[in-house]
Amino acid sequence: MLIQHHSAEADTPTDVEAPAPKLPAIAATADALLDAAMLKRIQPEAFSPHALGRLEDLVLQLARVQSAGHLPLDLLVFDSPQVLVFAADHGISDEGVSAVPQQATRERVQQILQGRAPINTLAETMGFDLTVVDAGVASHVVEAGAAAPSVPLLVRKIGYGTRNMVLGPAMSLAQAISALQAGMDVVRHLPGNVLALGDVGVGNTSCAALLLSRLCGVPLADACGRDHPIPGGLDNTQLQNKLEKLSAAASRHRKAVKPLDALAALGGFEIAMMAGAMLQAASERRVVLVDGFVAGAAALVARGLCPPVADYLVFTHRTIDPGHRLMLIHLQVQPLMDMELRVGQGVGALVAWPILQTAQALLEH
Amino acid sequence: MLIQHHSAEADTPTDVEAPAPKLPAIAATADALLDAAMLKRIQPEAFSPHALGRLEDLVLQLARVQSAGHLPLDLLVFDSPQVLVFAADHGISDEGVSAVPQQATRERVQQILQGRAPINTLAETMGFDLTVVDAGVASHVVEAGAAAPSVPLLVRKIGYGTRNMVLGPAMSLAQAISALQAGMDVVRHLPGNVLALGDVGVGNTSCAALLLSRLCGVPLADACGRDHPIPGGLDNTQLQNKLEKLSAAASRHRKAVKPLDALAALGGFEIAMMAGAMLQAASERRVVLVDGFVAGAAALVARGLCPPVADYLVFTHRTIDPGHRLMLIHLQVQPLMDMELRVGQGVGALVAWPILQTAQALLEH
């Protein structure tokens, strides 16, 4: 198959004239003294080290986030946990890269707003406040004159969906920076010290695969591959088409290698906002629960912009996307769970939340 | 290395004169109509099938256990969840197959009885009643005249540790049957419809590896292997010694191929009791939470004795034992979590418990 390469230099964003985004200061959390003190408290007697496995690692990470260098840390305290669901549409949907039509984004958002989606159940069960952010859905999410939704909706539209990145950059650098700032701004106005992030957006696993490929050097065929057919998913022909379209986009924007440039060329509004939300939350020493593949792509961008953010991110769930497995390897993290969810919305983050509460309980006793 | 083979036929238990154990009747739970009804209730709109991944499988399994064929099932109900910790010692400890000395069994049991072990914290946090069963610790667990433990202890000692299975069968068939019956008996007197099973017993991963090898045909070197050195675990020489000792035991008891015979020759008192507990719990349609490698070996035995028991078992956690991964593959199950715990006690089962509560919540809404 011959892929047409248009001259792409002209419309690929680069940082030549880019205003640098204002990023908050984030402190790395490494603290060997604290680690030793915490391990001493939680390791059971009459067992060899690391008997509590990755629960120990989790306790240490959470303690580092919450200690702010003030020894001794007595207890982990989780206060007013928040879940933010960022929704947006993607121009690349025009290329037939998704198994569901673009309007499913709006339908899924409306279900959440009406309290009928899995994330509503989970937020209620786990005691999270749920907020939906319209980062750029391709239509009005709420009709004029419709009843007010039962879940708060913040309309922070950067656009009505991104542009088709096969034809040009998904967004301008200015839009990418606006989206980052909007994500920060949303978090700044939320209470609590725990933030879970989820996404809704048909086509956004294409962005995640492209960002993974670009920022980690993973071959695109692996980043958007598939281990086995998924019922209701893409068939082999459609998958081949997706790979060709993503290859065309990657080729067109081959100069967009810096995190911000890659985000603008290959990302999405919800991904940019999640990255901003992670940066802001980390700067405020909140624990950040990262859901699946798409939120993981936002984490890649955030880490590229400000590496210490990684200390604050708890990767909660591995989705069935094969690219997600590679992404987590590149991030050098193991997720807390692997339940094969592919519902987005932050559901994975909230299913895993009780594990953090267990870590908290182990430290209390 | 030359392994001496003694004539083993005389002392290997076989079923020639064995009294058959009285096993309770267990009904298989498969119910396609129920599955369809449940899926319809939990699958989110505007998503392709299986969007909730293995959470859906869990909902179906729990619904089948609780429905008893009476459609419609409205809700999952979890009533008075119990966690049973079975403790015993193993004669094969004499062969240097464990990184910790045999007396660690008693120390760990005493920690639980005094409320200082991780399982105490978890039982309290998750609302489980905790009971310890002395299935055959090699000493008195509670000194005469000592203060009453804060956690209930049932003394159902079959013996003061099993025999060294390199020299003879771990237990007689009569002992194996007594232990099975004791496990059933303990469960029969417990309330509730959820039962978590954990174990304490230095040397019991040797039994688990041997039972895995014997009942599933896994090469012993794989069943007791190691992916990477564990701090405080066996070094390479010790691991080689363990493999040689287990090979000698397997060779001596090569005729013990039926589940009950294998249990007697290669098992342990706590493993036999857990198998009995699983069978009784399944016959009463309780949900059974199976912790790590050793409880998994009990599940292998229970399934061998009565295959429908498998429908009631929820495998909660994969330990770091490489044999456990193979065991779960042979059982054709995926565990809910993989937190690298190696503390036993049922900790993995209780860490995973909130996932069942999430399944319940998804069905409620």
Side-chain angles (χ1 to χ4, degrees):
Chain A
M1 146 95 201
L2 185 71
I3 296 170
Q4 298 285 331
H5 296 301
H6 308 278
S7 170
E9 285 69 17
D11 58 4
T12 292
T14 66
D15 59 349
V16 177
E17 304 165 49
K22 273 190 205 162
L23 300 181
I26 300 176
T29 66
D31 184 342
L33 280 178
L34 179 71
D35 288 359
M38 290 296 116
L39 279 180
K40 205 171 161 191
R41 278 179 53 184
I42 59 167
Q43 278 180 347
E45 301 162 53
F47 281 92
S48 46
H50 216 57
L52 290 170
R54 297 204 286 127
L55 276 176
E56 291 181 11
D57 304 333
L58 183 60
V59 167
L60 296 190
Q61 183 187 7
L62 298 173
R64 288 187 215 119
V65 167
Q66 296 207 341
S67 77
H70 304 305
L71 269 174
L73 176 80
D74 264 353
L75 297 173
L76 295 171
V77 178
F78 299 132
D79 173 39
S80 303
Q82 305 289 318
V83 53
L84 281 174
V85 180
F86 291 93
D89 274 307
H90 299 268
I92 199 168
S93 297
D94 294 349
E95 304 287 346
V97 294
S98 295
V100 292
Q102 184 176 284
Q103 59 261 34
T105 301
R106 182 165 178 266
E107 286 172 41
R108 291 172 184 178
V109 170
Q110 289 185 325
Q111 281 166 33
I112 300 176
L113 293 175
Q114 293 160 8
R116 297 183 292 113
I119 192 62
N120 301 100
T121 304
L122 282 162
E124 192 191 324
T125 305
M126 307 287 177
F128 277 64
D129 294 329
L130 168 61
T131 305
V132 176
V133 182
D134 178 356
V137 180
S139 54
H140 289 291
V141 166
V142 181
E143 307 286 352
S150 63
V151 168
L153 169 70
L154 300 178
V155 181
R156 304 296 299 255
K157 263 188 207 299
I158 307 295
Y160 286 82
T162 51
R163 281 180 287 171
N164 181 347
M165 62 181 97
V166 175
L167 306 176
M171 60 187 105
S172 66
L173 266 183
Q175 284 180 314
I177 290 168
S178 293
L180 280 170
Q181 304 285 4
M184 293 178 210
D185 190 54
V186 168
V187 171
R188 208 177 289 121
H189 291 89
L190 284 180
N193 66 355
V194 175
L195 178 68
L197 297 173
D199 60 276
V200 176
V202 171
N204 59 12
T205 60
S206 289
C207 302
L210 282 163
L211 288 169
L212 167 64
S213 177
R214 181 58 47 91
L215 297 177
C216 302
V218 171
L220 202 49
D222 297 333
C224 82
R226 183 181 68 180
D227 284 333
H228 49 77
I230 299 166
L234 300 176
D235 64 26
N236 285 336
T237 312
Q238 291 167 324
L239 190 69
Q240 185 59 33
N241 171 64
K242 177 176 178 178
L243 180 55
E244 283 165 11
K245 295 298 159 57
L246 298 199
S247 298
S251 174
R252 166 172 283 269
H253 307 295
R254 60 190 170 278
K255 294 204 172 171
V257 291
K258 292 192 184 175
L260 189 62
D261 297 337
L263 174 67
L266 306 168
F269 297 137
E270 82 279 50
I271 293 174
M273 281 199 198
M274 282 193 284
M278 288 174 192
L279 294 170
Q280 181 65 32
S283 78
E284 299 174 10
R285 295 192 91 91
R286 303 189 196 214
V287 173
V288 181
L289 305 180
V290 183
D291 195 23
F293 190 33
V294 179
L300 276 184
V301 171
R303 199 189 59 156
L305 292 172
C306 188
V309 72
D311 291 356
Y312 299 83
L313 307 179
V314 177
F315 292 84
T316 55
H317 179 258
R318 176 158 49 215
T319 66
I320 51 168
D321 300 276
H324 196 208
R325 177 176 298 270
L326 299 173
M327 178 185 279
L328 293 166
I329 290 170
H330 275 271
L331 285 161
Q332 293 183 288
V333 292
Q334 274 190 286
L336 295 178
M337 315 186 79
D338 181 356
M339 294 293 285
E340 297 175 12
L341 302 174
R342 47 201 184 95
V343 66
Q345 307 181 354
V347 167
L350 266 57
V351 174
W353 166 245
I355 305 176
L356 281 81
Q357 295 179 302
T358 297
Q360 180 188 35
L362 285 171
L363 203 52
E364 255 173 49
H365 284 76
Chain B
M1 146 96 197
L2 185 72
I3 296 168
Q4 297 287 330
H5 295 304
H6 308 277
S7 171
E9 284 69 16
D11 57 4
T12 294
T14 66
D15 59 351
V16 178
E17 303 163 49
K22 275 190 202 162
L23 301 180
I26 299 175
T29 67
D31 184 340
L33 280 177
L34 179 71
D35 288 359
M38 290 297 115
L39 278 180
K40 204 170 161 189
R41 278 180 53 187
I42 58 167
Q43 279 179 346
E45 302 163 51
F47 282 91
S48 46
H50 216 57
L52 289 170
R54 296 202 289 127
L55 276 177
E56 290 181 11
D57 304 333
L58 183 60
V59 166
L60 296 191
Q61 182 188 8
L62 297 173
R64 288 186 215 119
V65 167
Q66 296 208 342
S67 78
H70 305 304
L71 271 173
L73 175 81
D74 265 352
L75 297 173
L76 295 173
V77 178
F78 299 132
D79 173 37
S80 301
Q82 305 290 317
V83 54
L84 279 175
V85 180
F86 291 93
D89 274 307
H90 300 268
I92 198 166
S93 296
D94 295 347
E95 303 287 345
V97 294
S98 296
V100 292
Q102 184 177 280
Q103 59 261 36
T105 301
R106 183 165 176 266
E107 286 172 40
R108 291 171 185 178
V109 170
Q110 289 184 325
Q111 280 167 33
I112 300 176
L113 293 175
Q114 293 160 8
R116 296 183 292 114
I119 191 63
N120 300 100
T121 304
L122 282 162
E124 192 192 324
T125 305
M126 307 288 177
F128 276 65
D129 294 327
L130 168 61
T131 305
V132 176
V133 182
D134 179 357
V137 179
S139 54
H140 289 293
V141 166
V142 181
E143 305 287 349
S150 63
V151 168
L153 169 71
L154 301 177
V155 181
R156 302 299 298 258
K157 262 189 208 299
I158 306 296
Y160 285 81
T162 52
R163 280 181 286 171
N164 181 346
M165 63 181 97
V166 175
L167 306 176
M171 61 187 102
S172 67
L173 267 183
Q175 284 180 315
I177 291 168
S178 293
L180 281 170
Q181 303 286 3
M184 292 178 210
D185 190 53
V186 168
V187 171
R188 207 178 288 121
H189 291 90
L190 285 179
N193 66 356
V194 174
L195 178 67
L197 296 174
D199 60 276
V200 176
V202 171
N204 61 12
T205 59
S206 290
C207 302
L210 282 162
L211 288 169
L212 168 64
S213 177
R214 182 57 47 90
L215 297 176
C216 303
V218 171
L220 203 47
D222 296 334
C224 81
R226 182 181 68 183
D227 285 334
H228 50 79
I230 299 165
L234 299 177
D235 64 26
N236 285 336
T237 313
Q238 291 167 325
L239 190 67
Q240 185 60 33
N241 171 63
K242 177 175 178 178
L243 181 55
E244 282 165 11
K245 294 298 160 57
L246 298 198
S247 299
S251 174
R252 167 172 282 269
H253 306 295
R254 61 190 171 277
K255 294 201 169 169
V257 291
K258 293 191 183 174
L260 188 61
D261 298 336
L263 174 65
L266 307 168
F269 296 137
E270 83 280 49
I271 293 175
M273 282 200 199
M274 281 193 284
M278 288 174 192
L279 294 170
Q280 181 65 32
S283 78
E284 299 174 9
R285 297 192 89 91
R286 303 189 196 214
V287 174
V288 180
L289 305 180
V290 183
D291 194 22
F293 190 32
V294 179
L300 277 184
V301 172
R303 200 189 58 157
L305 293 171
C306 188
V309 72
D311 292 357
Y312 299 83
L313 307 179
V314 177
F315 291 85
T316 54
H317 179 258
R318 177 159 46 216
T319 66
I320 50 165
D321 301 276
H324 196 206
R325 177 177 297 271
L326 299 173
M327 180 185 278
L328 294 165
I329 291 170
H330 275 271
L331 285 161
Q332 296 184 286
V333 292
Q334 274 189 286
L336 296 178
M337 315 186 78
D338 182 354
M339 293 294 285
E340 297 175 11
L341 302 174
R342 49 201 182 97
V343 66
Q345 307 182 352
V347 168
L350 265 59
V351 174
W353 166 245
I355 306 176
L356 281 81
Q357 294 179 303
T358 297
Q360 179 189 37
L362 285 170
L363 203 53
E364 253 174 48
H365 283 77

